[in-house]
PDB file of all heavy atoms in Angstrom:
ATOM      1  N   ASP A  85      14.046  44.944 -46.221  1.00  0.00           N
ATOM      2  CA  ASP A  85      15.233  45.708 -46.578  1.00  0.00           C
ATOM      3  C   ASP A  85      16.244  45.584 -45.440  1.00  0.00           C
ATOM      4  O   ASP A  85      16.761  44.521 -45.195  1.00  0.00           O
ATOM      5  CB  ASP A  85      14.863  47.168 -46.879  1.00  0.00           C
ATOM      6  CG  ASP A  85      14.056  47.290 -48.169  1.00  0.00           C
ATOM      7  OD1 ASP A  85      14.158  46.379 -49.011  1.00  0.00           O
ATOM      8  OD2 ASP A  85      13.324  48.283 -48.315  1.00  0.00           O
ATOM      9  N   THR A  86      16.489  46.650 -44.695  1.00  0.00           N
ATOM     10  CA  THR A  86      17.435  46.566 -43.573  1.00  0.00           C
ATOM     11  C   THR A  86      16.933  45.611 -42.503  1.00  0.00           C
ATOM     12  O   THR A  86      17.710  44.892 -41.873  1.00  0.00           O
ATOM     13  CB  THR A  86      17.666  47.962 -42.962  1.00  0.00           C
ATOM     14  OG1 THR A  86      18.161  48.833 -43.978  1.00  0.00           O
ATOM     15  CG2 THR A  86      18.667  47.894 -41.813  1.00  0.00           C
ATOM     16  N   VAL A  87      15.639  45.616 -42.295  1.00  0.00           N
ATOM     17  CA  VAL A  87      15.032  44.764 -41.268  1.00  0.00           C
ATOM     18  C   VAL A  87      14.101  43.751 -41.929  1.00  0.00           C
ATOM     19  O   VAL A  87      13.255  44.125 -42.762  1.00  0.00           O
ATOM     20  CB  VAL A  87      14.238  45.597 -40.237  1.00  0.00           C
ATOM     21  CG1 VAL A  87      13.649  44.680 -39.166  1.00  0.00           C
ATOM     22  CG2 VAL A  87      15.112  46.664 -39.605  1.00  0.00           C
ATOM     23  N   GLY A  88      14.276  42.498 -41.588  1.00  0.00           N
ATOM     24  CA  GLY A  88      13.398  41.457 -42.099  1.00  0.00           C
ATOM     25  C   GLY A  88      13.012  40.489 -40.999  1.00  0.00           C
ATOM     26  O   GLY A  88      13.397  40.663 -39.836  1.00  0.00           O
ATOM     27  N   TYR A  89      12.250  39.470 -41.354  1.00  0.00           N
ATOM     28  CA  TYR A  89      11.885  38.478 -40.342  1.00  0.00           C
ATOM     29  C   TYR A  89      11.764  37.098 -40.972  1.00  0.00           C
ATOM     30  O   TYR A  89      11.530  36.947 -42.173  1.00  0.00           O
ATOM     31  CB  TYR A  89      10.594  38.865 -39.612  1.00  0.00           C
ATOM     32  CG  TYR A  89       9.336  38.862 -40.437  1.00  0.00           C
ATOM     33  CD1 TYR A  89       8.647  37.679 -40.728  1.00  0.00           C
ATOM     34  CD2 TYR A  89       8.797  40.065 -40.914  1.00  0.00           C
ATOM     35  CE1 TYR A  89       7.484  37.691 -41.477  1.00  0.00           C
ATOM     36  CE2 TYR A  89       7.624  40.086 -41.664  1.00  0.00           C
ATOM     37  CZ  TYR A  89       6.979  38.896 -41.947  1.00  0.00           C
ATOM     38  OH  TYR A  89       5.819  38.907 -42.685  1.00  0.00           O
ATOM     39  N   ARG A  90      11.968  36.087 -40.121  1.00  0.00           N
ATOM     40  CA  ARG A  90      11.728  34.693 -40.484  1.00  0.00           C
ATOM     41  C   ARG A  90      10.914  34.075 -39.355  1.00  0.00           C
ATOM     42  O   ARG A  90      11.357  34.062 -38.211  1.00  0.00           O
ATOM     43  CB  ARG A  90      13.034  33.911 -40.622  1.00  0.00           C
ATOM     44  CG  ARG A  90      13.921  34.293 -41.770  1.00  0.00           C
ATOM     45  CD  ARG A  90      15.165  33.415 -41.776  1.00  0.00           C
ATOM     46  NE  ARG A  90      16.227  33.964 -42.575  1.00  0.00           N
ATOM     47  CZ  ARG A  90      16.410  33.681 -43.871  1.00  0.00           C
ATOM     48  NH1 ARG A  90      15.591  32.836 -44.478  1.00  0.00           N
ATOM     49  NH2 ARG A  90      17.416  34.224 -44.537  1.00  0.00           N
ATOM     50  N   VAL A  91       9.756  33.577 -39.701  1.00  0.00           N
ATOM     51  CA  VAL A  91       8.935  32.855 -38.739  1.00  0.00           C
ATOM     52  C   VAL A  91       8.470  31.587 -39.428  1.00  0.00           C
ATOM     53  O   VAL A  91       8.731  31.371 -40.621  1.00  0.00           O
ATOM     54  CB  VAL A  91       7.729  33.694 -38.261  1.00  0.00           C
ATOM     55  CG1 VAL A  91       8.196  34.963 -37.564  1.00  0.00           C
ATOM     56  CG2 VAL A  91       6.801  34.044 -39.427  1.00  0.00           C
ATOM     57  N   ARG A  92       7.785  30.763 -38.688  1.00  0.00           N
ATOM     58  CA  ARG A  92       7.305  29.519 -39.273  1.00  0.00           C
ATOM     59  C   ARG A  92       6.426  29.805 -40.478  1.00  0.00           C
ATOM     60  O   ARG A  92       5.468  30.583 -40.382  1.00  0.00           O
ATOM     61  CB  ARG A  92       6.523  28.738 -38.212  1.00  0.00           C
ATOM     62  CG  ARG A  92       6.142  27.344 -38.622  1.00  0.00           C
ATOM     63  CD  ARG A  92       5.369  26.672 -37.502  1.00  0.00           C
ATOM     64  NE  ARG A  92       5.257  25.249 -37.710  1.00  0.00           N
ATOM     65  CZ  ARG A  92       4.593  24.438 -36.897  1.00  0.00           C
ATOM     66  NH1 ARG A  92       4.004  24.925 -35.819  1.00  0.00           N
ATOM     67  NH2 ARG A  92       4.530  23.141 -37.153  1.00  0.00           N
ATOM     68  N   LEU A  93       6.749  29.224 -41.591  1.00  0.00           N
ATOM     69  CA  LEU A  93       5.989  29.297 -42.832  1.00  0.00           C
ATOM     70  C   LEU A  93       6.080  30.639 -43.533  1.00  0.00           C
ATOM     71  O   LEU A  93       5.369  30.867 -44.516  1.00  0.00           O
ATOM     72  CB  LEU A  93       4.495  28.969 -42.580  1.00  0.00           C
ATOM     73  CG  LEU A  93       4.193  27.648 -41.891  1.00  0.00           C
ATOM     74  CD1 LEU A  93       2.703  27.491 -41.685  1.00  0.00           C
ATOM     75  CD2 LEU A  93       4.740  26.486 -42.710  1.00  0.00           C
ATOM     76  N   GLU A  94       6.923  31.537 -43.053  1.00  0.00           N
ATOM     77  CA  GLU A  94       6.950  32.860 -43.660  1.00  0.00           C
ATOM     78  C   GLU A  94       8.333  33.472 -43.500  1.00  0.00           C
ATOM     79  O   GLU A  94       8.950  33.373 -42.435  1.00  0.00           O
ATOM     80  CB  GLU A  94       5.892  33.753 -43.007  1.00  0.00           C
ATOM     81  CG  GLU A  94       5.676  35.063 -43.711  1.00  0.00           C
ATOM     82  CD  GLU A  94       4.571  35.882 -43.062  1.00  0.00           C
ATOM     83  OE1 GLU A  94       3.937  35.385 -42.109  1.00  0.00           O
ATOM     84  OE2 GLU A  94       4.371  37.020 -43.497  1.00  0.00           O
ATOM     85  N   SER A  95       8.809  34.156 -44.544  1.00  0.00           N
ATOM     86  CA  SER A  95      10.128  34.780 -44.493  1.00  0.00           C
ATOM     87  C   SER A  95      10.111  36.029 -45.368  1.00  0.00           C
ATOM     88  O   SER A  95       9.651  35.983 -46.514  1.00  0.00           O
ATOM     89  CB  SER A  95      11.204  33.804 -44.980  1.00  0.00           C
ATOM     90  OG  SER A  95      12.459  34.439 -45.063  1.00  0.00           O
TER      91      SER A  95
END
Side-chain angles (χ1 to χ4, degrees):
D85 291 337
T86 302
V87 181
Y89 66 80
R90 292 181 197 268
V91 299
R92 188 180 194 182
L93 305 179
E94 190 177 356
S95 174

